[in-house]
């Protein structure tokens, strides 16, 4: 009898292990759903996938931990659950954008779905090639749209909704650029005393760029060494690489105060320096009413260059985004003004120089300091959503199968587990879950930021950019000569602004859309600088007194 019972248990265990639904339930823990709810949601995917069994879909996303987890764990799990074979490719962000653009331009069926930034929303709703998810879910995609999708639960939904109030992308992962600093160093009595004696205020979270520069100079030039290690007060990157374009276009000008007040991007001038009349881009140069070569933009670029050269490790000047991403985690950097939360996983590894013996971070993130031109009501930083994007040209069967996969990797059954792995939250229910709140102490303030009202001031590029994939590359090509010291910041931005104007004009001629670009006539720059709002005239003092606040006060100050 005992042998029969043992054999039965062994057979039951084998069946359990081979059951895709049970396998999914085991992997996808914890979940914000109750057990019965999670089982029901996963069972829906298994049933919905049956008509597509044997179908193969190809998708591509950028190279971050969240997408590696999708490619290596979730895609195979989904395939076993539904019978749909998913080939999930992971590549560089620039490569993803270029492939999406190539497929749009040539019609070649390269991929069935892309995870691309919500920065492309302005292009998507104007060019007519991206699948409008709102329409798809109500029509040809209705039978493959999960009844538990719960769009209202996605914290980044406004970023993927166009001015026509329709949904063009589905959020998959979300990250934010914040201020990062070594909390343990900032709390040392000897360093606090030395900073106060030199600068006359406290070594706390900087509220403006002047304070950030004081702190950078303090650690790089006055402190110089901590515990026998050379230390620096700033970290950034400056290689001749597409990623320097993201560094400078991703709201750096907005943080400086280049744009008009208004969320998400400032109106009528946004944080790319583009003036928009109604929904029509009207110019980037000051001569056409834009602000890309304005005094505030020149100030922003010059500050970036000066800090990189004076206060960052020397090798930072030749690093790209990916190379620089975990440098501060090596333990010799005091602060970083533009820190990508997508790298949080690298900064929480056991044994890391920036993690203590209890697994708690020695660092913390906080709202970013603001430039001299910044005014209340302006956006405060960059936050973006990597979102599922499908094209109208993809055959219906492939679109439907890919849509099932996109919903699966973002479903409530999956999203909390994926958030704990990749630390790129997308759902409010996950941010409110006991499991993520329990993890908050080891994430250095990231959860607190996302749960605060401050998070709404961090926004992506927005809908004013009508051809993101074509215009994004212009940033690094035109501005790197200034970073390399070959031309001035003013000359580089002037070149970029004029190049933008020409590009906008070309786009306006080929886009058949009510919101296609239509440029303002060229006028003397003084005309626009004398008008209310952006472009702002040059300030007499671009370096006001430094100001800091303790962490808790800094977070509340942005609510």
């Amino acid at each position: 009898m005992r042998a029969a019972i043992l054999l039965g248990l062994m057979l039951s265990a084998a069946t359990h292990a081979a059951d895709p639904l049970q396998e999914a339930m085991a992997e996808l823990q914890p979940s914000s759903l109750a057990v019965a709810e999670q089982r029901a949601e996963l069972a829906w995917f298994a049933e919905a996938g049956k008509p597509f069994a044997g179908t193969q879909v190809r998708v591509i996303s950028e190279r971050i931990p969240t997408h590696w987890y999708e490619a290596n764990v979730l895609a195979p799990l989904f395939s076993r659950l539904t019978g749909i074979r998913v080939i999930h490719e992971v590549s560089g962000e620039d490569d993803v954008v270029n492939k999406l653009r190539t497929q749009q331009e040539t019609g070649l069926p390269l991929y069935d779905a892309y995870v691309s930034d919500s920065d492309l929303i302005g292009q998507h709703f104007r060019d007519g090639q991206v699948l409008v998810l709102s329409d798809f879910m109500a029509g040809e995609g209705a039978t493959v749209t999960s009844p538990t999708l719960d769009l209202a639960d996605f914290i980044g939904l406004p970023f993927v909704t166009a001015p026509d109030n329709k949904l063009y992308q589905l959020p998959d992962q979300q990250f934010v650029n914040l201020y990062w600093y070594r909390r343990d160093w900032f709390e040392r009595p000897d360093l606090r005393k030395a900073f106060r004696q030199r600068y006359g205020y406290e070594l706390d979270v900087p509220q403006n760029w002047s304070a950030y520069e004081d702190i950078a100079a303090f650690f790089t030039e006055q402190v110089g060494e901590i515990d026998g290690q050379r230390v620096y007060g700033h970290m950034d990157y400056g290689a001749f690489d597409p990623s320097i374009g993201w560094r400078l276009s991703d709201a750096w000008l907005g943080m400086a105060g280049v744009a008009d007040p208004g969320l998400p991007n400032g109106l009528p001038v946004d944080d790319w320096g583009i003036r928009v009349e109604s929904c029509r881009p009207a110019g980037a140069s000051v001569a056409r009413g834009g602000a890309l070569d304005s005094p505030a933009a020149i100030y922003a670029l010059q500050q970036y260059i000066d800090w990189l050269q004076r206060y960052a490790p020397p090798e930072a000047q030749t690093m790209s985004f990916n190379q620089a991403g975990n440098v501060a985690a090596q333990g010799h950097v005091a602060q970083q003004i533009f820190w990508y939360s997508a790298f949080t996983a690298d900064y929480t590894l056991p044994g890391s120089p920036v993690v203590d013996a209890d697994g708690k971070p020695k660092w913390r993130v906080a709202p970013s300091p603001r430039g001299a031109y910044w005014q209340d009501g302006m956006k405060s930083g960059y936050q973006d959503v990597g979102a599922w994007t499908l094209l109208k040209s993809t055959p219906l069967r492939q679109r439907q199968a890919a849509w099932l996969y996109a919903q699966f990797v973002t479903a409530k059954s999956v999203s909390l587990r994926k958030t704990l792995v990749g630390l790129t939250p997308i759902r409010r229910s996950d941010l409110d879950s006991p499991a993520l709140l329990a993890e908050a102490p080891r994430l250095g303030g990231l959860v607190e930021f996302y749960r605060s009202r401050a998070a709404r001031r961090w926004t992506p590029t927005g809908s004013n950019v009508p051809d993101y994939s074509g215009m994004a590359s212009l940033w690094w090509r035109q501005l790197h000569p200034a970073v390399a010291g070959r031309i001035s910041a003013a000359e580089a931005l002037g070149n970029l602004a004029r190049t933008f104007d020409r590009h906008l004009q070309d786009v306006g001629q080929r886009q058949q859309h009510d919101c296609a670009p239509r440029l303002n006539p060229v006028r003397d720059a003084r005309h626009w600088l004398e008008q209310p709002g952006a472009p702002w005239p040059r300030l007499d003092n671009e370096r006001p007194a430094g100001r800091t606040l303790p962490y808790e006060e800094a977070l509340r100050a942005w609510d």
Side-chain angles (χ1 to χ4, degrees):
M1 177 64 71
R2 292 179 60 189
I5 294 174
L6 181 59
L7 178 60
L9 290 173
M10 291 173 64
L11 289 172
S12 175
T15 301
H16 179 85
D19 180 357
L21 183 57
Q22 294 297 340
E23 180 187 11
M25 289 289 291
E27 168 61 32
L28 301 175
Q29 299 301 326
S31 169
S32 61
L33 296 177
V35 172
E37 293 173 326
Q38 186 181 28
R39 185 184 300 277
E41 185 172 70
L42 293 172
W44 180 89
F45 280 103
E47 186 66 25
K50 285 181 179 179
F52 304 93
T55 302
Q56 176 177 292
V57 296
R58 294 178 61 90
V59 304
I60 186 170
S61 57
E62 65 178 291
R63 192 180 293 115
I64 62 172
T66 295
H67 296 317
W68 281 120
Y69 179 68
E70 289 171 342
N72 295 333
V73 177
L74 296 182
L77 199 63
F78 176 79
S79 295
R80 289 191 288 273
L81 187 67
T82 63
I84 300 170
R85 185 187 177 205
V86 177
I87 300 175
H88 190 141
E89 183 179 329
V90 177
S91 186
E93 181 182 359
D94 193 54
D95 184 54
V96 175
V97 173
N98 287 336
K99 285 177 174 174
L100 174 59
R101 188 180 190 189
T102 298
Q103 184 161 343
Q104 290 176 309
E105 291 177 347
T106 65
L108 294 173
L110 302 179
Y111 297 91
D112 299 305
Y114 293 79
V115 181
S116 65
D117 286 352
S118 64
D119 290 329
L120 279 77
I121 189 70
Q123 178 177 343
H124 293 336
F125 96 96
R126 288 182 176 93
D127 66 17
Q129 296 191 54
V130 167
L131 188 68
V132 182
L133 294 179
S134 302
D135 297 341
F136 180 68
M137 288 186 289
E140 294 176 325
T143 59
V144 289
T145 296
S146 170
T148 55
L149 180 59
D150 193 5
L151 289 173
D153 192 43
F154 287 89
I155 59 176
L157 205 69
F159 303 159
V160 291
T161 303
D164 59 7
N165 292 319
K166 292 188 176 183
L167 188 71
Y168 282 74
Q169 300 168 281
L170 182 70
D172 180 87
Q173 48 88 359
Q174 190 160 334
F175 71 89
V176 62
N177 293 114
L178 294 171
Y179 172 71
W180 179 96
Y181 69 106
R182 284 292 298 269
R183 176 180 52 84
D184 56 335
W185 291 356
F186 278 45
E187 291 176 351
R188 280 179 50 162
D190 57 333
L191 296 179
R192 294 184 65 82
K193 179 180 179 182
F195 184 86
R196 188 185 314 111
Q197 289 177 339
R198 186 172 186 87
Y199 296 101
Y201 60 96
E202 297 299 325
L203 177 59
D204 281 317
V205 177
Q207 298 301 289
N208 57 16
W209 286 10
S210 301
Y212 183 86
E213 184 169 11
D214 285 345
I215 296 170
F218 175 70
F219 279 99
T220 302
E221 299 174 349
Q222 280 83 58
V223 178
E225 184 177 294
I226 293 179
D227 299 329
Q229 182 182 34
R230 177 70 172 102
V231 299
Y232 297 90
H234 174 60
M235 181 58 205
D236 221 315
Y237 61 94
F240 182 65
D241 181 82
S243 61
I244 198 176
W246 318 328
R247 170 62 181 85
L248 295 169
S249 68
D250 286 354
W252 184 242
L253 303 190
M255 292 167 64
V258 168
D260 278 301
L263 295 175
N265 298 102
L267 284 173
V269 178
D270 71 3
D271 49 289
W272 271 39
I274 297 175
R275 175 174 289 271
V276 172
E277 307 288 358
S278 182
C279 62
R280 287 181 171 272
S285 65
V286 173
R288 296 186 188 272
L292 190 51
D293 55 347
S294 67
I298 295 168
Y299 156 82
L301 180 58
Q302 193 60 57
Q303 291 291 95
Y304 159 78
I305 295 170
D306 289 347
W307 295 346
L308 178 65
Q309 294 176 346
R310 294 182 59 183
Y311 307 123
E315 60 272 19
Q317 297 181 41
T318 59
M319 286 183 169
S320 66
F321 166 78
N322 285 317
Q323 292 169 329
N326 65 356
V327 168
Q330 297 170 14
H332 62 304
V333 174
Q335 60 172 358
Q336 187 166 334
I337 192 170
F338 207 72
W339 183 80
Y340 290 78
S341 69
F343 289 111
T344 302
D346 293 334
Y347 285 70
T348 58
L349 296 174
S352 166
V354 295
V355 174
D356 66 22
D358 296 326
K360 301 287 182 63
K362 300 177 182 178
W363 52 270
R364 180 171 277 165
V365 292
S368 315
R370 304 159 289 190
Y373 290 83
W374 193 92
Q375 301 175 31
D376 189 37
M378 293 180 176
K379 70 182 291 180
S380 300
Y382 181 75
Q383 178 175 197
D384 195 23
V385 169
W388 286 100
T389 309
L390 287 75
L391 298 179
K392 293 178 180 178
S393 60
T394 301
L396 177 60
R397 184 176 176 83
Q398 300 299 117
R399 267 186 280 147
Q400 291 174 324
W403 176 236
L404 281 172
Y405 177 63
Q407 292 175 93
F408 175 77
V409 299
T410 60
K412 288 183 180 179
S413 290
V414 178
S415 61
L416 179 54
R417 170 64 175 154
K418 190 175 77 169
T419 294
L420 291 169
V421 172
L423 304 178
T424 52
I426 56 172
R427 286 186 175 273
R428 174 60 57 184
S429 56
D430 294 336
L431 290 171
D432 293 339
S433 68
L436 194 58
L437 292 176
E439 285 292 292
R442 76 174 188 89
L443 300 180
L446 183 65
V447 175
E448 289 84 347
F449 172 81
Y450 267 118
R451 286 171 55 83
S452 76
R453 288 169 53 85
R456 62 189 172 152
R457 295 179 179 266
W458 272 250
T459 64
T461 297
S463 60
N464 293 347
V465 180
D467 180 28
Y468 183 90
S469 57
M471 298 174 72
S473 64
L474 301 177
W475 285 86
W476 69 280
R477 295 184 186 280
Q478 295 294 336
L479 298 188
H480 188 267
V483 178
R486 296 196 295 272
I487 61 176
S488 69
E491 186 177 357
L493 285 164
N495 292 339
L496 180 61
R498 287 187 293 273
T499 303
F500 262 29
D501 284 350
R502 289 194 296 271
H503 193 94
L504 289 171
Q505 191 166 36
D506 292 342
V507 172
Q509 291 173 351
R510 69 173 185 263
Q511 279 186 348
Q512 303 299 314
H513 195 281
D514 291 342
C515 294
R518 185 169 61 200
L519 299 191
N520 286 332
V522 173
R523 304 187 67 163
D524 189 286
R526 287 177 298 178
H527 166 79
W528 290 104
L529 291 171
E530 290 171 357
Q531 303 301 312
W536 307 101
R538 189 181 188 281
L539 293 173
D540 292 333
N541 178 19
E542 293 183 329
R543 202 186 189 288
R547 189 168 70 91
T548 62
L549 286 174
Y551 169 76
E552 290 77 9
E553 292 183 36
L555 195 62
R556 289 197 300 270
W558 293 86
D559 279 356

